[in-house]
């Protein structure tokens, strides 16, 4: 049974925004909805939204897939860490990170130090359904997406679980996850 999440009132949302002194950093698997949810969350909190993958692409003038192809994953992770370090210096905001960012120890340490990590989680079936909508993810090329997503999720869960806030983003509308995040942060702050 899905329990309807209570919506925070406008003044409660304003109070959350006023208490935030650091970026909120969305972490979790590809396909969980970090970018869509992050954009909505930022809009409600009246904060800037930054998508780390978009910023990496802008800085490199290449797509994420092209960076993986030409220079390899280690090079991508290095750029990802530097871009996230820069975004974390920008004051309160909402930052969506790529699925592997919080798994990298240095990047995770930076996020712990300068931001508030929010782990968005979904079951494997929902993730697979969502990643199937786009063919832009290099880690899913050349294999069975269900097998890859299940393996990465299992490998990464220990890192993700270090986030102080965890919210489920299941098959329902993303607005529900946004409400859950607001409620969780309001309690946590
Ligand atoms: C990755 C996830 C992608 C992107 C890159 C690597 C990963 O971001 O950063 O393809 O390691 O899980 P999304 O989580 O936005 O798909």
């Amino acid at each position: 049974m899905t329990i309807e999440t209570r919506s925070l009132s406008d003044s409660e949302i304003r109070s959350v925004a006023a208490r935030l002194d650091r970026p909120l950093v969305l972490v979790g698997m590809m396909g969980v909805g970090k970018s869509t949810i992050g954009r909505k969350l930022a809009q409600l909190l009246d904060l800037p939204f930054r998508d780390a993958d978009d910023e990496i692409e802008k800085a490199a003038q290449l797509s994420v897939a092209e960076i993986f192809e030409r220079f390899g994953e280690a090079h991508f992770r290095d750029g990802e860490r530097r871009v996230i370090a820069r975004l974390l210096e920008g004051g309160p905001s909402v930052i969506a990170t790529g699925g592997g960012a919080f798994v990298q120890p240095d990047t995770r340490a930076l996020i712990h130090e300068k931001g508030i990590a929010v782990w968005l989680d979904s079951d494997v079936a929902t993730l697979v359904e969502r990643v199937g909508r786009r063919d832009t993810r290099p880690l899913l090329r050349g294999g069975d997406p269900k097998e890859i997503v299940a393996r990465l999720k299992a490998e990464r869960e220990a890192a993700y679980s270090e986030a102080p806030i965890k919210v489920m983003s299941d098959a329902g509308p993303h607005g529900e996850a946004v409400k859950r995040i607001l409620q969780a942060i309001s309690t946590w702050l």
Side-chain angles (χ1 to χ4, degrees), residues 30 34 53 64 76-77 98-100 137-139 156:
M30 48 180 113
K34 298 176 297 276
D53 279 348
V64 168
F76 172 79
R77 296 299 173 200
R137 296 182 170 96
L139 293 179
R156 292 173 167 184

Side-chain angles (χ1 to χ4, degrees), residues 42-111:
Q43 206 176 9
L44 279 172
L45 289 167
D46 200 17
L47 289 175
F49 171 71
R50 304 276 182 259
D51 186 292
D53 279 348
D54 287 352
E55 298 287 332
I56 295 164
E57 293 187 338
K58 255 193 258 169
Q61 293 287 301
L62 291 170
S63 70
V64 168
E66 284 168 333
I67 301 171
F68 268 74
E69 258 167 50
R70 292 205 203 167
F71 305 109
E73 180 170 351
H75 181 91
F76 172 79
R77 296 299 173 200
D78 193 48
E80 179 178 58
R81 189 194 66 254
R82 283 185 281 120
V83 163
I84 290 174
R86 168 169 60 78
L87 298 179
L88 285 166
E89 296 298 335
S93 65
V94 177
I95 302 172
T97 62
F102 201 62
V103 183
Q104 309 302 310
D106 292 356
T107 307
R108 187 165 69 249
L110 274 170
I111 295 172

